[in-house]
Amino acid sequence: MADQIVLPSPADFHVHVRQGAMCELVTPHVALGGIRTAYVMPNLVPPLTKTENVLAYKAELERIAPSVEWLMTLYLHPEVTPDEIRKAAKAGVKGVKSYPRGVTTNSSSGIEDYGLYYPVFKAMEEEGMVLNLHGEVPSDDEKNISILNAEKHFLEHLRKIAAAFPNLRIVLEHATTAEAVECVASLPANVACTFTAHHLWLTIDAVAPQPHHFCKPIAKEPRDRAALQNAIKSGNPKFFLGSDSAPHPSASKTPSISDSGELHSCAAGCYTSPFLVPLVATLLEGFGAIDKLAGFVSDHGRAFYKVPAKEGSSVTLRRPAVPNQVPVRLGEGALEVVPFWAGKELAWEIVNN
Amino acid sequence: MADQIVLPSPADFHVHVRQGAMCELVTPHVALGGIRTAYVMPNLVPPLTKTENVLAYKAELERIAPSVEWLMTLYLHPEVTPDEIRKAAKAGVKGVKSYPRGVTTNSSSGIEDYGLYYPVFKAMEEEGMVLNLHGEVPSDDEKNISILNAEKHFLEHLRKIAAAFPNLRIVLEHATTAEAVECVASLPANVACTFTAHHLWLTIDAVAPQPHHFCKPIAKEPRDRAALQNAIKSGNPKFFLGSDSAPHPSASKTPSISDSGELHSCAAGCYTSPFLVPLVATLLEGFGAIDKLAGFVSDHGRAFYKVPAKEGSSVTLRRPAVPNQVPVRLGEGALEVVPFWAGKELAWEIVNN
């Protein structure tokens, strides 16, 4: 067993760094977790539907954490016109994120009909922008659509968009099912797929009793987790890391009842940024894929996004001298976040952080 | 729409009333919820594997709530021999509850191989005792068994036991899947099935973000909930109420982290006892089955268990003059319980409670 691994410039192609005080807390965690390039989600309040707002947000992130290369996205929305796409592309915005309406945190402005956005997708294809898809359809009792099969039902939309735009780079984000893995593998090279760290470990059994494991899409069955792990083991470059690391104050992860008697649900999201690369190394080693780590956390995503590693940005991992335990709390007061893997040990640590 | 419903002696054929201080708190709630006959689960600490312990527990319940008819069960376990069965039957114990090992609250003494208990089942068949099955197999990653399909995988055990003991009355408890409903409907009249109140309303979408909705078996897809509702609508006497009402202190329904950094999962169970009959009436009315209420909450279960309604034990429901809201908390301090339906309105109330 190797005691040291040198990784060429790890990248996280799906991360939430929020706004305000939470942004100040979590943005520095991205570098701390061994990430050199971060692809930032636009589901702020209000969502980032304008190029100038994306650029202002990018400046904010560069101020807080100048060592990270911040790659930015727009939030797909009626305000995002083909003209806005050309403007954004010119300004260096890399992609556009699509949220089906209402399925996750701050997605109430999400879309309902992909066909409406074909002119936007066309402009993105021409400008070389990437389309990032939250791959779930909204739940619908009449159609027996629930959070368990919402991703499977989305795949027909993925196939349609991919067929209509053969030169548009498309990423199915945070895939959680065997069907999604098979679908992406079967589609042309313009379609890729991110996996989170937490979906490489969770199944529904660990999610149902534990709000800190609740995220969207929800972790599914053991066979689904195995499909994700096997996609990494295969070395297929379509599959790479997008952590979907999403901090929520621990109060939002606790059931509560308002004075008027309203029972509040827990927020969806797992937070992995502060120790992301060591966690991914620990998980991949756990299922016999440590040899695929560099491809998964760096090479595959960088090739797909055409964002080469910068000189001198490698990250070295070593086995910790004493067991390295993930903290159970980050921040404090209204900002306290309980991370994924809280209290568990990491088999790897970063040498130079 | 009727403004009043007279129900012949409602019965709950599956209820947890716990031990100690919690027992003192929740046992009176059974009568408060409109229940005249309650079939009590034996998963105490330690489990009730001896007739004398069951009788002592029964005396305790009669002391706390003398108006209720308490029907008792043994916990299936190697200590429960055919001789113990005959002793229990003679003492008036009605049934034996089987928990697969480790699948729910206090089930670590549960069974792993049903074949081992065939001599016990034979004695139960001869003595006219009822076998109550928690119908889930333990999760197993290798076999892709999770809490989502644990009930479906159990049905082969149900079919085998039913075939081997054609005169043994068997109840599949708290069924949650379309497959379970179909299976029970297809088996002979000695096999029946309870439904909880909460599974008539929940689906997985409402469970995943809300620990107060987490129970075992977990609520499944919309099509499963529809199958339960349709079984009630059909009027088939195999299907009747077993609330599985299971109080947990709200601290056990909240994710917590110990000082040593251990993340604690939330306990499984929904608590419906204090307003059970009005809740079931509200739910059945909601899916157009109010005309099946008397069968579901009284006649079907009583016929199967051969426990006729007692003279003068009817319960009258009426529409509340002002909206009747379920309290958001019961008990206090370490005993505080947040009930199911907390803060929501009930369309019916009990006249004479």
Side-chain angles (χ1 to χ4, degrees):
Chain A
M1 271 200 315
D3 282 336
Q4 191 156 304
I5 304 172
V6 180
L7 296 167
S9 201
D12 180 355
F13 282 101
H14 185 135
V15 63
H16 297 268
V17 287
R18 309 301 194 199
Q19 295 162 274
M22 184 63 92
C23 183
E24 300 281 346
L25 172 69
V26 304
T27 300
H29 291 171
V30 173
L32 198 63
I35 293 300
R36 304 304 194 217
T37 298
Y39 190 79
V40 179
M41 291 299 111
N43 59 330
L44 306 188
V45 183
L48 296 178
T49 57
K50 293 287 181 195
T51 302
E52 61 257 36
N53 297 340
V54 174
L55 295 180
Y57 187 41
K58 187 182 185 192
E60 182 75 353
L61 302 181
E62 286 172 339
R63 176 186 66 76
I64 302 173
S67 75
V68 174
E69 178 184 25
W70 298 104
L71 305 180
M72 308 306 290
T73 58
L74 276 169
Y75 189 113
L76 189 61
H77 183 273
E79 285 180 9
V80 177
T81 60
D83 277 355
E84 190 67 37
I85 290 296
R86 293 183 213 288
K87 188 174 164 189
K90 211 162 288 169
V93 177
K94 289 286 169 189
V96 179
K97 175 73 186 288
S98 153
Y99 291 94
R101 187 162 296 176
V103 302
T104 192
T105 306
N106 298 342
S107 66
S108 57
S109 308
I111 72 162
E112 286 180 322
D113 178 356
Y114 295 91
L116 292 174
Y117 290 93
Y118 274 25
V120 174
F121 296 165
K122 185 76 196 150
M124 290 172 62
E125 189 176 45
E126 289 165 5
E127 296 293 332
M129 283 177 86
V130 172
L131 176 62
N132 305 98
L133 297 170
H134 180 118
E136 290 188 296
V137 299
S139 289
D140 183 331
D141 285 357
E142 294 304 311
K143 295 176 183 163
N144 193 44
I145 297 175
S146 71
I147 55 174
L148 295 180
N149 58 19
E151 184 174 281
K152 292 179 205 175
H153 282 283
F154 181 82
L155 298 175
E156 62 183 295
H157 295 295
L158 174 62
R159 288 194 195 92
K160 267 189 210 166
I161 299 168
F165 300 96
N167 296 310
L168 176 64
R169 281 175 295 157
I170 302 169
V171 183
L172 178 67
E173 299 294 334
H174 44 53
T176 60
T177 56
E179 287 79 0
V181 169
E182 285 158 26
C183 176
V184 169
S186 73
L187 287 169
N190 62 310
V191 179
C193 179
T194 53
F195 295 149
T196 73
H198 51 277
H199 287 124
L200 302 178
W201 187 78
L202 292 171
T203 66
I204 186 73
D205 281 50
V207 176
Q210 184 44 266
H212 291 298
H213 292 164
F214 171 56
C215 59
K216 299 289 289 293
I218 197 167
K220 311 289 191 312
E221 300 187 67
R223 75 176 192 98
D224 295 300
R225 182 182 59 183
L228 272 57
Q229 294 177 348
N230 287 334
I232 293 174
K233 281 185 178 174
S234 77
N236 186 333
K238 282 171 165 280
F239 300 97
F240 50 83
L241 178 65
S243 71
D244 193 18
S245 179
H248 287 282
S250 58
S252 308
K253 284 290 204 177
T254 302
S256 66
I257 298 176
S258 69
D259 290 341
S260 61
E262 215 180 331
L263 188 59
H264 291 291
S265 291
C266 299
C270 294
Y271 187 55
T272 51
S273 285
F275 46 87
L276 182 59
V277 174
L279 174 65
V280 172
T282 301
L283 294 170
L284 263 58
E285 188 168 55
F287 59 84
I290 193 75
D291 60 314
K292 300 300 192 292
L293 183 63
F296 182 66
V297 304
S298 182
D299 304 339
H300 300 172
R302 289 186 175 281
F304 185 84
Y305 273 91
K306 304 178 185 175
V307 181
K310 286 191 178 130
E311 196 73 35
S313 64
S314 69
V315 166
T316 301
L317 299 180
R318 69 178 167 209
R319 296 195 181 279
V322 294
N324 200 337
Q325 202 182 25
V326 167
V328 295
R329 291 178 191 85
L330 302 156
E332 56 186 16
L335 281 182
E336 184 196 90
V337 175
V338 175
F340 182 73
W341 214 250
K344 286 196 173 66
E345 290 179 7
L346 296 167
W348 294 92
E349 68 179 3
I350 297 170
V351 174
N352 47 347
N353 256 356
Chain B
M1 272 200 316
D3 282 337
Q4 190 156 305
I5 304 173
V6 180
L7 295 167
S9 200
D12 180 356
F13 281 102
H14 185 136
V15 63
H16 297 267
V17 287
R18 309 301 195 199
Q19 295 162 276
M22 184 63 93
C23 182
E24 300 282 345
L25 172 69
V26 304
T27 300
H29 291 170
V30 173
L32 199 64
I35 293 300
R36 303 304 192 218
T37 298
Y39 190 78
V40 179
M41 291 298 113
N43 59 332
L44 306 188
V45 183
L48 297 177
T49 57
K50 293 286 180 193
T51 302
E52 60 256 35
N53 297 339
V54 174
L55 295 180
Y57 187 42
K58 186 182 186 193
E60 182 75 354
L61 303 182
E62 286 173 338
R63 176 187 66 76
I64 302 173
S67 76
V68 174
E69 178 184 26
W70 298 103
L71 304 180
M72 308 307 290
T73 59
L74 276 169
Y75 188 113
L76 189 60
H77 184 273
E79 284 180 9
V80 178
T81 60
D83 278 354
E84 189 67 39
I85 290 296
R86 293 183 213 288
K87 188 175 162 187
K90 210 161 288 170
V93 176
K94 290 284 170 191
V96 179
K97 175 73 185 288
S98 154
Y99 290 94
R101 187 161 296 176
V103 302
T104 192
T105 305
N106 299 341
S107 66
S108 58
S109 307
I111 72 162
E112 287 180 320
D113 178 356
Y114 295 91
L116 292 175
Y117 290 94
Y118 274 26
V120 175
F121 297 165
K122 184 75 197 152
M124 290 172 61
E125 189 177 43
E126 290 165 5
E127 297 292 331
M129 283 177 87
V130 172
L131 175 62
N132 305 99
L133 297 170
H134 181 118
E136 291 188 295
V137 299
S139 289
D140 182 330
D141 285 357
E142 294 304 310
K143 296 177 184 165
N144 192 44
I145 297 174
S146 72
I147 55 174
L148 295 179
N149 58 19
E151 184 174 281
K152 291 178 204 175
H153 282 283
F154 180 82
L155 298 176
E156 61 184 296
H157 295 294
L158 173 61
R159 287 194 195 93
K160 267 187 211 166
I161 299 169
F165 300 97
N167 296 310
L168 176 63
R169 281 174 294 157
I170 302 169
V171 182
L172 178 67
E173 299 294 335
H174 45 53
T176 60
T177 57
E179 288 79 0
V181 168
E182 284 159 26
C183 177
V184 169
S186 73
L187 286 169
N190 62 310
V191 179
C193 179
T194 54
F195 295 149
T196 74
H198 52 277
H199 287 125
L200 302 178
W201 187 77
L202 292 171
T203 66
I204 186 75
D205 282 51
V207 176
Q210 183 45 267
H212 292 297
H213 292 163
F214 170 56
C215 59
K216 300 289 289 293
I218 196 167
K220 311 288 190 314
E221 299 186 68
R223 75 176 192 98
D224 295 301
R225 182 182 58 183
L228 272 57
Q229 295 177 347
N230 288 334
I232 293 174
K233 281 185 179 173
S234 77
N236 186 333
K238 281 170 165 279
F239 301 97
F240 51 82
L241 177 64
S243 72
D244 194 18
S245 178
H248 287 283
S250 58
S252 309
K253 285 291 205 177
T254 302
S256 67
I257 298 175
S258 69
D259 289 340
S260 60
E262 214 180 332
L263 188 60
H264 291 292
S265 290
C266 299
C270 294
Y271 187 55
T272 51
S273 286
F275 45 87
L276 182 60
V277 173
L279 174 64
V280 172
T282 302
L283 294 169
L284 263 59
E285 188 168 55
F287 58 84
I290 193 75
D291 60 315
K292 300 300 193 295
L293 183 63
F296 183 66
V297 304
S298 183
D299 304 339
H300 299 171
R302 289 187 175 281
F304 186 84
Y305 273 90
K306 304 177 184 175
V307 181
K310 288 193 174 126
E311 196 73 33
S313 63
S314 69
V315 166
T316 301
L317 299 179
R318 70 177 166 211
R319 295 195 182 279
V322 292
N324 200 337
Q325 203 182 24
V326 167
V328 295
R329 290 177 189 87
L330 302 156
E332 55 186 18
L335 281 182
E336 184 196 89
V337 175
V338 175
F340 182 74
W341 213 249
K344 287 197 173 67
E345 289 178 8
L346 296 167
W348 295 90
E349 67 180 4
I350 297 171
V351 174
N352 47 346
N353 255 356

